[in-house]
Amino acid sequence: MRLVDPALSKLGGRALQAAALFCLMLGSVHAFPQAPAGIPRDLARFRVQQLKDVRYQLSYTITPRADSVSGHEEMRFVQNADDRGILPEWLDFREGSISSLTINGQAASTDTQNGHVELPATMLKLDENVVVIDFKAPVAPAGKAITRFEDKDDGSEYIYTLFVPMDADMAFPCFDQPDLKAKFKLNVTAPQDWTVISNTDGHETSGENAGAAGQHRIEFAETKPISTYLFAFAAGPFQKVHDTPGLPGLFVRKSKLQKAEAEAESVQQITADGIKYLSDYFAQPFPFPKYDMVMIPGFAYGGMEHAGATFLREESILFRTAPTHSDRLNRDILLLHELTHQWFGDLVTMRWFDDLWLKEGFAQYMAYHTLNSLKPNENVWKRFYQAIKPAAYAIDSTQGTTPIYQDIPNLKDAKSAYGAIVYSKAPGVIKQLAFVVGDDQFRDGLRLYLKEHAYANAEWNDLVRALERTSKKPLGPWADAWIKKRGMPQVDVSLACDRRQGLSSIDVRQHDVLNQGTIWPIATELLIHQRGIDSTTTISFATTKNGMLVRPGCPDYVFGNDEDQAYGRFLLDPVSRKAVMAQLGSMKDVFQRTLLWGSLWDSVREAEMDPREYIDLALRNLPEEQDESLAQSIIGRTITALHRYVSPEVREQLAPKMEALAADQMLHSPSQDMRITWFRALRGVAETAKARGQLKDMLTVKLIVPGVELRPLDRWNIVESLVAQNDPDATAVLAAEEKRDPTGDGKKYAYMARAARPDPETKKQYFDEYLHDAARPEDWIEISLGSFNWWNQSDLTLPYLAPALDAVPQVKRERKIFFMLAWLNAFIGGQQSSAAQKQVHDFLNSAALDKDLRLKILEVVDELDRTVKIRGKYR
Ligand SMILES: [Zn+2]
């Protein structure tokens, strides 16, 4: 990058000298004369050219209950020069305060501007620089990089860091970008009974460094080079659970030790098996000196893969509801996802968050791949389809979708990159990629990529090049469509049969769902079902939109994506749909059954199939459906259809049938997993006095799910339903449950249940708190958003739709990554009317919004658009 004005270069040598002198007199040439807002990509690129060998030595002193921690930092980096000489640098530091700053031994200004501190060029030197800083960083229950959790069960205090994507600079002054990897050396002084966990092993120091009375100091070994967002620590009276040689460390807060003991071994074992499997698969040993997992209550995500120290949401590990087999497998997936990141994300890191999919897509894909190898009888690829594809297709057919590669000009917008595109579409597309290049070539490509970029950074084209080398297939056109273009194909397969000649023709054609003219390279397995026998044919489209297959015989049905190899919307043609609906109950292959149920649901959402027809089909087939996760998804969709897509009259007619089926199956299904599944169904659908009565009997244990003990959140979910339905006993039930469960969790769940009260005062009070109460933990708010926007309270919540939309810039600024989607899904998703739809679109037309926010709203309003369309069509 050159900053010399082109006009200057036309001047003679003397003028140039004068100009240079003028610059010197001003102080220096500055690549970024004003402190930029956030961290622009240009600043990050500039710094990567200027700096290397970054090291942070950080000392924190933690005082219980204080609203800040004090820190001492010695930071070292090697400064390069270009033809302009040494240029000044901006160090990132937000929301804290600096009391002293020295650069190479000289005192410097501690002023911060726009979240940056200037390191003047005159104080920097070529080669190694040492910057020493004393600072304070904020600690709060929500909204900061260092979060405090107060355990209401025993009064203990815990603090932990969470920096991704760019909050490390709220905890210490740094160059907060993923491609300036650094070595960290941390020590923490904390109360004597606290444990501190970080990226490496720590040991207690003695002598003059031991800390004041009642405190101790833990010193951690220096890390390998890692990105700032992967550095972390957690501190408090954590306990190590089931400490067993050969198994990774697992930490939990003191008050949950007993509960954790029961779950620890399976959590540690799947992780240990995963480490072994992935080390072999990637041909790279575990890349960091140790691996611990720390359970954090109310953690903002399922997990965060800090190098060597994954933090996990406690609620995702220690189940708050009676768990089913699928719940346990989903936990395995979470653990393997975070584990995969140690290689994909931590060892090799994306250069910038535009390539977020590189780590998230692969972690998600490899979690299923690994579980499939470790537990081959669990039909893992069926689960992959169920967990991954619907979410991906739901966003990818909206105007709010983005390519997998997402342009992010400033890191402050990186939070918006998180969502179904990276977590669902990317793994779906990666599965297709593995199918296209072949399993062995795929594995070898990943090995090559990890080896070539170990402890460094890479971009998506590095990965594509590695896969091209191992597969010897050109992947340019493939990557161009799937990584750089937004949207997806719909593949229509239509079947015509000439019975006299005994020949059928199958026409396969794709179209671009967003009508942007993209032709998608697709390789898929076409399923042909004829007289009880399945056969498949592989079809590849590279550059064409359609193909025709003529074959002997007349199939009953054809489906375009057997085994879910391809990515796209695959609907059934009318002939096949009729046959499938008649035969679903007798289909033996559960993966096929799952795919076809999924395709029928896509037809409902496309307003091509009456939602009432889907509900009837579900009511007919569900009593025989013994696959737990398939039953769960059919039940969930049936309830969605009842609550959103059909008219109130149809709902009043069909809901009691669903209630009766749920109650019967809950009591009589031979499988415990199914009884739990049906209990949840009853809780979700109950609206008649009879069903509400059954729920109340479950709270007083007059009615029990055979063999199942309800856990606290099961009970609170019942309370929430009763409150939302305005049951006459709701107030008494809520009070009784608060008395029965006075724990910290109980208080949080009571907060959730109360948000469902169908009265205007409650809604007003909650909404004010959402935006103005800084002390309310973020996870309390997040779990109450759905209760606030209960499906039958849209009249009460409609007045909050506009204020909720107005608040999105604040939400973006103050909340963690996934909160925005929860917020929009709750407030927009709580509505079903065309009046609400109009409000959202009017807002989109009139508000000045950041591009990422506009896209998020467009993504979420799609479901409301569909609801209005379906209700209009099938009234
Ligand atoms: Zn992840």
Side-chain angles (χ1 to χ4, degrees):
M1 192 165 51
R2 288 285 190 136
L3 285 185
V4 176
D5 188 326
L8 277 184
S9 63
K10 292 193 190 115
L11 302 174
R14 186 175 289 216
L16 263 179
Q17 274 174 16
L21 191 66
F22 183 66
C23 284
L24 280 176
M25 283 162 62
L26 273 182
S28 62
V29 184
H30 208 307
F32 293 84
Q34 260 87 47
I39 300 170
R41 190 171 40 204
D42 290 347
L43 172 65
R45 284 181 181 161
F46 166 77
R47 290 198 298 214
V48 158
Q49 286 161 12
Q50 300 293 309
L51 307 169
K52 62 179 183 186
D53 297 342
V54 186
R55 284 168 189 245
Y56 299 96
Q57 193 167 342
L58 278 162
S59 307
Y60 284 104
T61 302
I62 299 171
T63 311
R65 317 281 165 201
D67 58 9
S68 64
V69 289
S70 40
H72 176 80
E73 173 176 356
E74 281 179 44
M75 141 180 219
R76 285 157 207 274
F77 57 88
V78 170
Q79 173 80 42
N80 296 323
D82 62 15
D83 48 9
R84 293 162 289 175
I86 295 180
L87 295 180
E89 303 289 349
W90 291 111
L91 197 56
D92 312 326
F93 189 53
R94 280 184 295 146
E95 302 203 17
S97 60
I98 295 179
S99 54
S100 91
L101 169 67
T102 65
I103 302 169
N104 296 321
Q106 280 180 277
S109 163
T110 58
D111 290 349
T112 58
Q113 306 169 40
N114 235 350
H116 301 275
V117 189
E118 189 175 11
L119 305 180
T122 49
M123 300 180 80
L124 295 174
K125 55 183 188 184
L126 285 178
D127 301 326
E128 190 172 77
N129 290 271
V130 183
V131 177
V132 180
I133 308 168
D134 287 300
F135 63 94
K136 277 188 192 309
V139 181
K144 304 292 175 209
I146 306 177
T147 303
R148 171 188 299 107
F149 172 79
E150 282 181 47
D151 188 335
K152 300 221 165 38
D153 294 343
D154 64 2
S156 301
E157 179 190 1
Y158 296 83
I159 73 165
Y160 62 92
T161 62
L162 181 55
F163 298 157
V164 70
M166 59 155 278
D167 287 350
D169 67 1
M170 254 199 272
F172 59 99
C174 58
F175 298 117
D176 200 2
Q177 62 189 70
D179 57 349
L180 271 174
K181 286 195 172 185
K183 294 181 177 176
F184 290 81
K185 202 164 180 322
L186 169 73
N187 67 68
V188 177
T189 303
Q192 190 69 49
D193 61 336
W194 283 25
T195 303
V196 187
I197 305 117
S198 185
N199 304 84
T200 54
D201 279 324
H203 68 274
E204 199 167 302
T205 58
S206 52
E208 58 176 315
N209 283 333
Q215 294 208 303
H216 66 161
R217 187 173 122 127
I218 319 285
E219 208 168 286
F220 292 87
E222 190 171 60
T223 66
K224 301 263 191 191
I226 57 174
S227 303
T228 40
Y229 80 94
L230 293 169
F231 167 65
F233 64 88
F238 283 104
Q239 307 280 303
K240 201 165 189 182
V241 199
H242 192 248
D243 190 1
T244 311
L247 292 179
L250 180 65
F251 292 86
V252 71
R253 60 184 155 130
K254 199 167 59 168
S255 63
K256 291 283 181 198
L257 182 60
Q258 228 185 341
K259 286 213 165 58
E261 299 279 7
E263 302 288 342
E265 201 176 339
S266 59
V267 169
Q268 290 166 300
Q269 194 59 54
I270 191 82
T271 307
D273 294 348
I275 290 175
K276 190 169 175 310
Y277 179 81
L278 288 168
S279 305
D280 288 349
Y281 185 86
F282 290 143
Q284 275 274 359
F286 187 81
F288 301 102
K290 57 98 182 169
Y291 190 58
D292 288 323
M293 293 171 283
V294 186
M295 288 184 253
I296 309 263
F299 194 60
Y301 331 130
M304 179 58 211
E305 70 275 14
H306 307 116
T310 283
F311 291 179
L312 297 162
R313 185 196 289 232
E314 186 190 285
E315 293 84 343
S316 304
I317 305 300
L318 309 180
F319 299 113
R320 303 303 208 254
T321 60
T324 65
H325 186 65
S326 289
D327 294 334
R328 294 186 184 283
L329 290 171
N330 288 340
R331 182 174 70 185
D332 290 345
I333 290 294
L334 168 65
L335 295 165
L336 294 171
H337 173 114
E338 304 307 338
L339 179 63
T340 303
H341 273 314
Q342 300 294 316
W343 288 265
F344 249 97
D346 298 5
L347 172 65
V348 179
T349 311
M350 73 234 154
R351 193 169 291 293
W352 188 245
F353 279 82
D354 48 12
D355 263 333
L356 183 62
W357 76 281
L358 263 186
K359 75 182 187 80
E360 294 309 337
F362 272 87
Q364 197 76 317
Y365 173 81
M366 284 306 301
Y368 284 89
H369 172 102
T370 305
L371 189 65
N372 189 47
S373 298
L374 298 179
K375 298 188 173 174
N377 299 323
E378 296 291 357
N379 226 326
V380 170
W381 291 116
K382 182 207 78 163
R383 293 175 186 279
F384 177 90
Y385 162 75
Q386 290 184 287
I388 297 290
K389 293 298 186 72
Y393 301 156
I395 169 172
D396 227 3
S397 52
T398 76
Q399 289 300 333
T401 196
T402 66
I404 284 181
Y405 171 88
Q406 307 185 53
D407 186 40
I408 297 173
N410 193 311
L411 219 46
K412 71 184 168 54
D413 301 323
K415 284 183 196 173
S416 297
Y418 288 77
I421 287 298
V422 294
Y423 286 95
S424 300
K425 180 175 185 177
V429 165
I430 290 164
K431 186 180 180 203
Q432 164 83 146
L433 179 60
F435 183 66
V436 169
V437 298
D439 288 340
D440 291 353
Q441 292 77 1
F442 180 76
R443 180 203 58 210
D444 293 347
L446 301 191
R447 287 179 173 179
L448 190 61
Y449 168 83
L450 290 175
K451 193 172 152 209
E452 287 188 340
H453 305 283
Y455 301 106
N457 297 80
E459 293 174 357
W460 66 269
N461 44 16
D462 296 317
L463 182 76
V464 169
R465 268 201 293 276
L467 288 165
E468 281 182 328
R469 277 157 67 190
T470 56
S471 70
K472 311 220 166 18
K473 287 186 182 169
L475 294 172
W478 186 92
D480 223 43
W482 288 107
I483 296 171
K484 290 173 73 181
K485 296 216 164 74
R486 63 179 212 149
M488 66 176 189
Q490 173 169 314
V491 179
D492 293 317
V493 179
S494 60
L495 175 62
C497 184
D498 183 337
R499 290 195 184 268
R500 271 191 320 179
Q501 291 202 33
L503 283 179
S504 55
S505 60
I506 302 169
D507 180 54
V508 186
R509 81 184 47 227
Q510 61 161 300
H511 77 260
D512 180 4
V513 165
L514 297 181
N515 292 320
Q516 294 180 334
T518 307
I519 296 178
W520 302 90
I522 304 169
T524 186
E525 302 256 33
L526 179 69
L527 169 73
I528 302 165
H529 182 89
Q530 191 169 324
R531 287 200 223 141
I533 297 171
D534 290 333
S535 59
T536 55
T537 302
T538 305
I539 313 179
S540 297
F541 297 87
T543 53
T544 54
K545 282 187 172 176
N546 61 319
M548 172 81 85
L549 192 73
V550 177
R551 60 185 301 287
C554 289
D556 298 340
Y557 58 84
V558 290
F559 174 62
N561 194 17
D562 196 36
E563 304 267 332
D564 185 39
Q565 301 293 1
Y567 181 90
R569 189 194 287 145
F570 291 83
L571 301 183
L572 294 161
D573 68 292
V575 176
S576 297
R577 191 200 292 169
K578 200 167 158 216
V580 163
M581 287 174 71
Q583 295 185 31
L584 266 175
S586 57
M587 263 173 222
K588 294 273 178 297
D589 182 336
V590 64
F591 194 0
Q592 194 182 113
R593 209 157 70 230
T594 303
L595 287 166
L596 293 170
W597 271 108
S599 179
L600 291 174
W601 182 247
D602 286 340
S603 298
V604 172
R605 294 189 77 252
E606 285 303 297
E608 286 189 5
M609 179 174 166
D610 188 338
R612 183 180 178 143
E613 225 184 322
Y614 185 95
I615 299 170
D616 285 336
L617 189 69
L619 287 169
R620 273 203 308 282
N621 284 284
L622 273 171
E624 303 305 322
E625 184 53 70
Q626 293 306 309
D627 183 77
E628 179 213 327
S629 64
L630 176 54
Q632 268 188 38
S633 81
I634 301 171
I635 289 167
R637 287 164 173 178
T638 302
I639 294 176
T640 299
L642 283 169
H643 290 170
R644 297 187 63 82
Y645 297 161
V646 298
S647 65
E649 297 73 32
V650 172
R651 194 191 78 242
E652 274 165 33
Q653 211 184 331
L654 295 181
K657 290 185 186 172
M658 187 67 182
E659 288 177 349
L661 175 63
D664 180 57
Q665 294 284 325
M666 173 183 86
L667 296 175
H668 302 118
S669 173
S671 137
Q672 167 155 324
D673 292 325
M674 293 302 288
R675 293 194 298 277
I676 296 173
T677 298
W678 281 107
F679 154 66
R680 294 176 187 169
L682 179 64
R683 209 279 300 180
V685 76
E687 57 177 292
T688 65
K690 184 177 173 195
R692 281 184 279 115
Q694 286 167 323
L695 292 183
K696 285 184 267 185
D697 286 348
M698 294 175 83
L699 289 176
T700 53
V701 207
K702 262 190 250 162
L703 180 68
I704 56 170
V705 186
V708 178
E709 195 186 334
L710 296 189
R711 297 204 181 176
L713 185 53
D714 290 317
R715 297 180 57 89
W716 279 110
N717 283 336
I718 292 178
V719 174
E720 177 200 33
S721 284
L722 294 168
V723 170
Q725 303 278 358
N726 210 16
D727 185 89
D729 299 324
T731 306
V733 165
L734 175 64
E737 199 62 21
E738 283 188 284
K739 204 167 154 201
R740 189 178 185 277
D741 182 4
T743 62
D745 272 359
K747 290 186 173 64
K748 175 167 78 179
Y749 299 142
Y751 181 81
M752 166 189 84
R754 271 196 300 274
R757 272 187 183 148
D759 68 70
E761 297 74 41
T762 300
K763 302 299 178 194
K764 182 177 182 315
Q765 181 212 325
Y766 268 77
F767 195 82
D768 285 348
E769 267 194 24
Y770 289 165
L771 295 182
H772 306 300
D773 184 355
R776 185 67 73 190
E778 189 166 304
D779 67 314
W780 287 44
I781 295 178
E782 198 167 338
I783 62 163
S784 75
L785 291 172
S787 325
F788 182 102
N789 290 286
W790 200 260
W791 66 271
N792 65 356
Q793 297 180 15
S794 41
D795 290 345
L796 264 180
T797 53
L798 184 60
Y800 294 95
L801 180 59
L805 292 170
D806 288 336
V808 294
Q810 179 187 346
V811 168
K812 174 178 166 179
R813 235 177 11 252
E814 293 176 0
R815 300 293 177 188
K816 300 279 185 204
I817 284 169
F818 297 103
F819 189 92
M820 176 65 78
L821 268 181
W823 179 263
L824 291 173
N825 277 320
F827 283 97
I828 299 177
Q831 304 299 321
Q832 302 98 12
S833 67
S834 52
Q837 182 193 23
K838 184 173 179 309
Q839 272 198 27
V840 182
H841 286 284
D842 286 350
F843 176 79
L844 281 167
N845 290 334
S846 62
L849 280 171
D850 289 353
K851 185 180 168 208
D852 59 320
L853 294 178
R854 179 172 298 279
L855 289 174
K856 285 283 173 219
I857 297 170
L858 280 167
E859 171 190 337
V860 174
V861 76
D862 179 79
E863 171 59 25
L864 178 55
D865 292 341
R866 285 174 193 275
T867 301
V868 171
K869 184 174 174 190
I870 294 167
R871 286 164 80 107
K873 181 165 175 183
Y874 296 106
R875 184 156 295 277

